Amino acid sequence: MFTRIARFVVESRQASLLDAVRLVWNLVGLVAFIQQERSRRNSIIIMDQGLLQGFWSVFLKSKCRKTSEKWLDMLSTLGVHDMVFVHLRSETGIARDRLQTRGDRSSRLQRTSPESDPDLWSAADRACREMAAALERSMGTEDHIGVLAAVDVEMFASPEDVAERALEAVLLACLDRHRLCDSPGQ
């Protein structure tokens, strides 16, 4: 999987070699974490900044979207059919405001000023929408990749409110999955 991730990142033509190394490191670390937790037979793994965000980070500043490695194929190889991905949806302005109020400056979106890269937030939004649409399409197939649970984030929603809605969405997605698995012919 390391080779596939490295090929995917390199072929995406990142802005710098340092960005490419960080992205490979991040994705490989996420995959290793999931594999380690699965080997322990943990039935529930909660990840903030998880797999989808890792792939989204690659798309954020990529100069080339067409690569020989497809991110959905890598997810499928990893075996994420039993995962629920939470998609926090909001207007770009709301996401920007919420991110700017965080003090950690860990995101590339926080460290880049609108003047230096005015298209970055548009690229971020486009990558997110494209990934969500691809996951939604895959959910309707027999060999689906996972479940996407969407949560709408309003401007004045507190982090606690958003977390509560995310938990509700995950629980509903899990219940739906079990209903499908328990139905005849599955």
Side-chain angles (χ1 to χ4, degrees), residues 118-177:
D119 298 326
L120 187 61
W121 278 93
S122 296
D125 182 55
R126 183 179 70 247
C128 182
R129 289 179 190 277
E130 288 173 358
M131 290 178 70
L135 277 171
E136 287 173 353
R137 282 191 303 273
S138 79
M139 283 172 30
T141 64
E142 193 169 307
D143 59 341
H144 60 86
I145 294 188
V147 175
L148 185 67
V151 176
D152 292 317
V153 179
E154 294 87 23
M155 182 179 296
F156 297 111
S158 70
E160 293 80 12
D161 291 339
V162 174
E164 186 175 326
R165 281 189 256 151
L167 179 58
E168 289 172 4
V170 168
L171 291 174
L172 287 173
C174 290
L175 288 172
D176 286 345
R177 166 153 326 268

Side-chain angles (χ1 to χ4, degrees), residues 97-107 110-111:
D97 291 346
R98 292 177 81 90
L99 191 59
Q100 295 304 327
T101 60
R102 290 185 4 195
D104 60 6
R105 312 260 323 142
S106 62
S107 167
Q110 290 171 293
R111 294 187 306 263

Side-chain angles (χ1 to χ4, degrees), residues 1-6 28 31 35 73-79:
M1 187 63 114
F2 171 79
T3 304
R4 292 183 71 187
I5 289 170
V28 168
V31 168
Q35 290 173 336
D73 292 343
M74 286 188 278
L75 282 180
S76 182
T77 299
L78 184 58

